[in-house]
Amino acid sequence: MPVDGHPGPTGRRVRIGVVGGGLMGRELVAVAGRWDALVGHPCRPEVVAVADPAPGARDWFSRIPTVSTLTRDWRELVDDDGIDLLYLAVPHDLHEEIYLAAAAAGRDFLGEKPFGIDLGAAGRIAAALEGSPSFVRVSSEMPFFPGAQRAIALAASGALGEIVEVRSGFAHSSDLDRAKPVNWKRQAARCGAIGVMGDLGMHVAHVPLRLGWRPRTVYALLDDIVRERPGPGGAPVPCDTWDNALLACRVPPPTPPRDQGIQRDQGK
Ligand SMILES: NC(=O)c1ccc[n+]([C@@H]2O[C@H](COP(=O)([O-])OP(=O)(O)OC[C@H]3O[C@@H](n4cnc5c(N)ncnc54)[C@H](O)[C@@H]3O)[C@@H](O)[C@H]2O)c1
């Protein structure tokens, strides 16, 4: 029990297998490590296994005492009954294959956005999950942040009156460094033809979509600003993704309540 007298997580241990030990795989370990700060939480997550073909990525996890399995083959984790939950955090070109395999094996999993490299892949993943008994969620998304939840509650409450324009943006500056080496997020074949919109765009769109604002028309200004970056050997290699996107979306106005609509017509 922590010194302040509050019980930490009290419930059962949830053994997590991480597929993809990169930025987000390591982030999950950090999140699980902070779980003890939660008061009386009904479960205790523990990362017990990691699959990644890159030895350097796997090595990072060898310092984590709860991790007992390090493998290059994600299928070992999908087949491992000693794992309660999978966290799938891999490049977008692998989402479909690995998410479908996890679903077919009946595994519970947290996947990462965008749930497929393109619309076709996303549709096939969604179809495979339709009616599935598996617990599946997209993890670490904007609407779960307290600030986003406050914004959603405020907009939905009506306290803002008639909303005529919404600006939703995401400033992500590390790509302004043109010396930053290339990675899969800058290559359409691995990230997807939608580029930055598949990498970061859903964070921007997620709160408006959660509020039910479905665009009827979309106008897009897309920029491929950085056309090449240093490759593994330092020589420039092509970057063929959209780096910046500005979307102007028109959303049908909400149907006014009947009385309100009549009043407006009479006032003309
Ligand atoms: N929700 C968020 O806030 C957020 C933030 C960043 C990334 N993401 C998403 O998380 C996912 C991973 O992104 P990242 O930033 O961690 O990328 P990353 O490049 O840092 O890590 C990806 C890891 O996957 C590994 N990998 C490649 N092929 C593999 C295979 N066959 N089996 C297992 N592992 C394999 C790579 O070696 C790498 O270590 C993407 O879907 C990305 O869009 C989400």
Side-chain angles (χ1 to χ4, degrees), residues 19-26 51-54 57 72-74 87-92 94-95 98-99 112-115 138-141 145 183-185 190 198-200 202-203:
V19 177
L23 174 75
M24 294 309 288
R26 295 193 298 270
D52 196 305
R72 52 174 297 116
D73 185 359
W74 58 266
Y87 175 53
L88 309 179
V90 290
H92 301 168
L94 297 173
H95 283 193
I98 301 180
Y99 293 14
E112 268 299 346
K113 51 81 178 167
F115 257 62
V138 185
S139 53
S140 58
E141 289 301 328
F145 281 100
N183 62 45
W184 64 266
K185 295 173 187 172
R190 304 211 68 198
D199 183 20
L200 301 170
M202 57 276 302
H203 294 302

Side-chain angles (χ1 to χ4, degrees), residues 5-97:
H6 291 298
T10 53
R12 79 177 177 103
R13 184 173 162 237
V14 175
R15 297 159 298 183
I16 302 175
V18 172
V19 177
L23 174 75
M24 294 309 288
R26 295 193 298 270
E27 182 65 22
L28 189 81
V29 168
V31 168
R34 294 197 297 273
W35 217 261
D36 278 337
L38 298 175
V39 176
H41 196 274
C43 73
R44 178 184 294 275
E46 252 179 43
V47 176
V48 297
V50 179
D52 196 305
R58 290 198 303 275
D59 284 351
W60 187 92
F61 293 86
S62 57
R63 74 177 84 172
I64 308 300
T66 54
V67 174
S68 55
T69 300
L70 286 173
T71 172
R72 52 174 297 116
D73 185 359
W74 58 266
R75 289 176 189 81
E76 284 183 32
L77 269 53
V78 170
D79 292 340
D80 186 346
D81 289 333
I83 291 172
D84 301 308
L85 178 78
L86 293 168
Y87 175 53
L88 309 179
V90 290
H92 301 168
D93 58 326
L94 297 173
H95 283 193
E96 182 176 2
E97 181 186 11

